[in-house]
Amino acid sequence: REHSAAASLLPLFSCMQSGRRHALRALRIGGPVRGAATLLHESRIPTDHFQDSLPKMPVPALSDTLSKFLYFAEPLVSDDEHLLARRGVSAFAGAEGPALQAELLASSERQYTSYISAPWFDMYLRDRAPLLLNYNPQLTFEDEAARPSQANRAARLCHAAGRFLLTLEAGVLEPDVFHTKPKVSQTPLWREAVRLMPRSVAFYGAAATGAYALDMSQYANLFRSTRLPRPELDELSTCSDSRHVVVQRGGAFWAVDLLTPAGEPVPPSQLQGAFEAILASPADARGGSAGVGHLTSLPRGEWAALREQLCAAAPANAASLKQIDEALFAVCLDGSSPEELGEVNRAMLHGRGIDRWLDKSFQLVVTENAKAAINFEHSWGDGVSVLRLANEMFDASTALPTDTPAPPAAPPRRLDFELPPPLAAAVEEAGRRFDATIAGTDLATVMTDAFTTAALKKGGVSPDGMMQMSFQLAMAKMSGRTVSTYESASTAAFKHGRTETIRSATPESRAFTDAFTD
């Protein structure tokens, strides 16, 4: 498996599964509508208004699938191998292919979901490869003009995330809609007309005006969610009533309340006070838990076995894992101060591992110099929902005043782990393997003004096409070959849509690179 740090950029290009089950977790949508200071906004169109009318993703014709397979395989294999592939495709099309296609069509007809959704979850959760680099991408926030402290920025971003959650659960988070005619559809009159449409036809009514609603089922796993390691097939687990985040610093774990017992967001000043108390805690406060997060970077089968041993070793371990699993999300108060773009990317993509819990739905990473990012586990969802969360968090957090810290109403609660010698040795070995993986990963950045998006468009060249062909040419020059290449494409306009693959390695791209390297 070839690692590419470019995976951290996947969210920019762009249901609960427990074992093999595929179902939407019931959000507490429709709860009490709170005040403006609590919610991000109050959409006139309910959050889930379009969910009952989203179209199903069509199953492609068997002939189309087979022809595309041969087309995209052509630049990757030799002429002899492609001849064998053509023979295999011909045999499949004349034998079991039609029967399997009919079975797929019948399965799709029986249920209101995407035909590829369950296999997609299965693919993610069954893979035994580590989450580190293979699956967890990151999305870095812009810096703030006036650089705040680490605790202050973390507090304001967490407070904004809490308001996002409450807005979502109140059912008044504005639905995701792709507007092709914003002058028509982004108006109060349009919102009121769509709100009055029956849910069973709302998608089509909006589409008639050039506004295409997107599936929002992934938001059910955005908070209070974690990926549990299992021997063969991981499990996505959620809870419904937790109020805390888990904070990591120097290998120590702390639980900090983000919501009050009444369900209101804890003020940013109190969150900042809690984070400053954690940052000021002595180094020995981490106890025997230092490095436990490294275990989440192991191959999934190994981590599953070690997690069972960890739970069995002491009641405190099981209790701490429960607090981590049920946390709204994780906060990583990173000990580095990266400035150069490559350093920032490395800090957000993997860091030192000691302050990471890769299984959580997402982790908010904030460095000592107040740079921030979201690192998220990829099996539950894709970049569309995470990018929406990131944009809302940034806008809401930067609108907040930079208050002085205040003592939290509920002080941080340290989560303890007791590691007998075999588990302590396993944690140390996981740390060494983490370091070896990172050392074997190359990352370099180039900044240039030689060409820009505007200049490319003016010349009739797609900026994305330019980047994709740059990747192909770079690989050809480095290795002398063409490799299978994945560019993500969102299918969120369909019920339970995930990402699909744009295969930018084609016979034409191969001819392009051959022309430059011949």
Side-chain angles (χ1 to χ4, degrees):
R1 183 182 296 265
E2 296 180 358
H3 300 304
S4 170
S8 64
L9 301 178
L10 281 178
L12 295 173
F13 291 109
S14 330
C15 13
M16 179 179 174
Q17 170 75 10
S18 178
R20 288 183 174 272
R21 295 186 311 239
H22 177 87
L24 278 175
R25 178 171 69 90
L27 278 171
R28 294 180 295 173
I29 289 180
V33 177
R34 305 171 188 272
T38 297
L39 303 179
L40 293 177
H41 55 251
E42 294 184 37
S43 172
R44 289 289 293 164
I45 304 173
T47 304
D48 58 353
H49 188 59
F50 300 102
Q51 287 300 116
D52 293 345
S53 58
L54 290 167
K56 290 173 58 174
M57 188 172 177
V59 178
L62 177 61
S63 58
D64 290 343
T65 299
L66 297 180
S67 63
K68 286 182 178 179
F69 168 74
L70 291 175
Y71 173 76
F72 289 116
E74 184 177 340
L76 309 177
V77 299
S78 67
D79 291 343
D80 289 342
E81 290 169 329
H82 200 259
L83 175 61
L84 291 174
R86 293 198 302 272
R87 291 173 178 171
V89 163
S90 179
F92 180 78
E96 65 265 46
L100 291 173
Q101 177 77 358
E103 184 177 336
L104 180 59
L105 287 168
S107 174
S108 176
E109 196 66 30
R110 286 193 298 267
Q111 47 191 339
Y112 183 39
T113 185
S114 168
Y115 75 95
I116 203 173
S117 182
W120 196 253
F121 274 107
D122 190 79
M123 177 273 295
Y124 271 120
L125 298 174
R126 193 173 295 280
D127 190 6
R128 302 293 83 195
L131 300 184
L132 177 67
L133 298 183
N134 293 311
Y135 283 113
N136 281 41
Q138 65 91 4
L139 188 63
T140 301
F141 291 98
E142 291 183 0
D143 290 337
E144 294 187 4
R147 189 73 64 90
S149 70
Q150 180 180 26
N152 179 268
R153 190 166 198 199
R156 286 184 289 111
L157 284 167
C158 284
H159 181 80
R163 291 174 62 195
F164 184 99
L165 169 64
L166 295 177
T167 307
L168 174 66
E169 291 188 334
V172 293
L173 183 73
E174 186 175 346
D176 290 334
V177 178
F178 181 63
H179 296 273
T180 63
K181 300 177 182 178
K183 291 183 179 180
V184 174
S185 58
Q186 290 187 311
T187 64
L189 177 62
W190 181 88
R191 294 185 182 94
E192 191 64 21
V194 171
R195 183 183 71 85
L196 296 174
M197 292 178 184
R199 289 169 54 104
S200 59
V201 298
F203 173 88
Y204 297 97
T209 64
Y212 298 91
L214 306 181
D215 180 77
M216 298 192 69
S217 61
Q218 293 180 16
Y219 287 85
N221 279 81
L222 189 53
F223 295 94
R224 302 187 179 101
S225 175
T226 197
R227 175 172 173 170
L228 298 176
R230 297 292 186 244
E232 296 182 359
L233 181 70
D234 286 0
E235 176 187 349
L236 289 181
S237 175
T238 60
C239 72
S240 60
D241 56 0
S242 58
R243 298 185 290 107
H244 69 281
V245 295
V246 60
V247 182
Q248 303 164 86
R249 169 70 177 185
F253 296 82
W254 307 78
V256 174
D257 286 344
L258 187 61
L259 303 177
T260 68
E264 298 292 326
V266 171
S269 59
Q270 293 188 27
L271 292 174
Q272 182 176 345
F275 295 156
E276 289 188 353
I278 291 172
L279 291 170
S281 63
D284 60 2
R286 65 189 184 184
S289 65
V292 171
H294 277 135
L295 297 177
T296 65
S297 69
L298 291 173
R300 303 305 291 173
E302 292 183 43
W303 169 215
L306 287 168
R307 181 181 165 111
E308 290 185 1
Q309 296 175 34
L310 194 62
C311 286
N317 296 347
S320 294
L321 286 172
K322 186 174 186 292
Q323 287 285 294
I324 293 172
D325 294 341
E326 295 183 352
L328 295 169
F329 55 91
V331 179
C332 311
L333 297 178
D334 193 270
S336 67
S337 296
E339 289 291 349
E340 188 270 327
L341 186 59
E343 293 175 349
V344 173
N345 196 34
R346 281 193 173 277
M348 305 314 185
L349 188 60
H350 52 71
R352 295 185 302 131
I354 198 170
D355 293 323
R356 301 291 186 273
W357 196 265
L358 299 176
D359 292 356
K360 283 302 291 180
S361 54
F362 74 91
Q363 304 172 86
L364 173 64
V365 183
V366 184
T367 62
E368 288 190 346
N369 58 344
K371 293 184 180 293
I374 288 178
N375 181 298
F376 67 99
E377 197 281 313
H378 213 329
S379 67
W380 66 266
D382 306 311
V384 173
S385 53
V386 178
L387 187 58
R388 168 76 184 277
L389 169 68
N391 287 333
E392 297 277 11
M393 286 174 61
F394 181 83
D395 290 344
S397 66
T398 53
L400 291 170
T402 305
D403 294 333
T404 56
R413 306 176 296 281
R414 196 180 78 187
L415 308 180
D416 293 318
F417 286 94
E418 298 177 18
L419 302 180
L423 280 175
V427 169
E428 290 184 9
E429 175 61 18
R432 285 191 289 268
R433 291 166 68 177
F434 180 98
D435 292 341
T437 298
I438 300 310
T441 303
D442 291 329
L443 187 152
T445 60
V446 175
M447 301 286 286
T448 178
D449 293 324
F451 58 88
T452 63
T453 295
L456 290 170
K457 289 182 176 179
K458 185 177 180 181
V461 177
S462 161
D464 179 62
M466 171 72 173
M467 292 303 301
Q468 295 303 319
M469 291 304 99
S470 298
F471 297 153
Q472 295 299 316
L473 183 56
M475 176 57 74
K477 285 188 171 183
M478 290 171 57
S479 65
R481 61 195 177 100
T482 297
V483 297
S484 184
T485 310
Y486 179 110
E487 182 185 7
S488 62
S490 174
T491 60
F494 299 99
K495 183 74 170 182
H496 297 159
R498 292 290 306 250
T499 55
E500 256 294 357
T501 305
I502 299 173
R503 300 193 179 276
S504 49
T506 64
E508 290 80 6
S509 74
R510 175 66 180 271
F512 171 85
T513 59
D514 286 347
F516 275 84
T517 57
D518 188 0

